[in-house]
Amino acid sequence: VVEAKPAALGNALGSCMETMAQLCRNESWENGVRRLAYEFVISAIEGFPSQPLPAMVEEALELSMAMMLEVEDDETWGSQLTNYDTAEDVLVEAGQVGISRLASVIPDILLLPAMSRILSKYATQAPWKPRHAALLAIVQS
């Protein structure tokens, strides 16, 4: 329903989006549940009949970044014996695909300011995971 006709949810769409965003961020849920909640958010924006609200765009992009932060630390990543591929992680892959999907449906006038704010925040953090997520987002958009 949300993919084809998000307007069918009427006034409940906002609260549904908020609930799904909370599920996405809650690490106590299994990755499959978190990915499905994220899929709901992305599909709702894709199916939105008019331009989505800037707050919805910002929230969806933040969720995408949160998904891409789920990459696992692997101390042997740089060794020749390790085959490291972020696509094997379902949440990281979902975040990457979600950024690409959002970039294809959100008008640049809404997308670019939000992406700029979010990428600036992530790219300037000291830990490697936020910088890695920022680079993935740039590549996907």
Side-chain angles (χ1 to χ4, degrees), residues 34-93:
R34 293 175 67 201
R35 188 190 58 75
L36 287 173
Y38 175 71
E39 178 65 30
F40 178 96
V41 171
I42 301 301
S43 294
I45 290 177
E46 285 177 322
F48 218 70
S50 60
Q51 288 187 3
L53 300 173
M56 289 174 67
V57 171
E58 191 103 16
E59 179 68 11
L61 291 171
E62 283 285 356
L63 288 174
S64 298
M65 298 303 288
M67 295 291 105
M68 291 188 290
L69 288 175
E70 295 292 327
V71 65
E72 292 184 28
D73 277 321
D74 186 354
E75 293 179 16
T76 62
W77 175 76
S79 75
Q80 295 179 353
L81 302 175
T82 303
N83 182 11
Y84 178 80
D85 181 8
T86 59
E88 291 176 5
D89 184 346
V90 66
L91 296 179
V92 175
E93 184 178 8

Side-chain angles (χ1 to χ4, degrees), residues 3 39 42-43 46 96-106:
E3 188 173 356
E39 178 65 30
I42 301 301
S43 294
E46 285 177 322
Q96 289 175 313
V97 171
I99 288 278
S100 181
R101 288 168 59 190
L102 291 170
S104 70
V105 297
I106 297 172

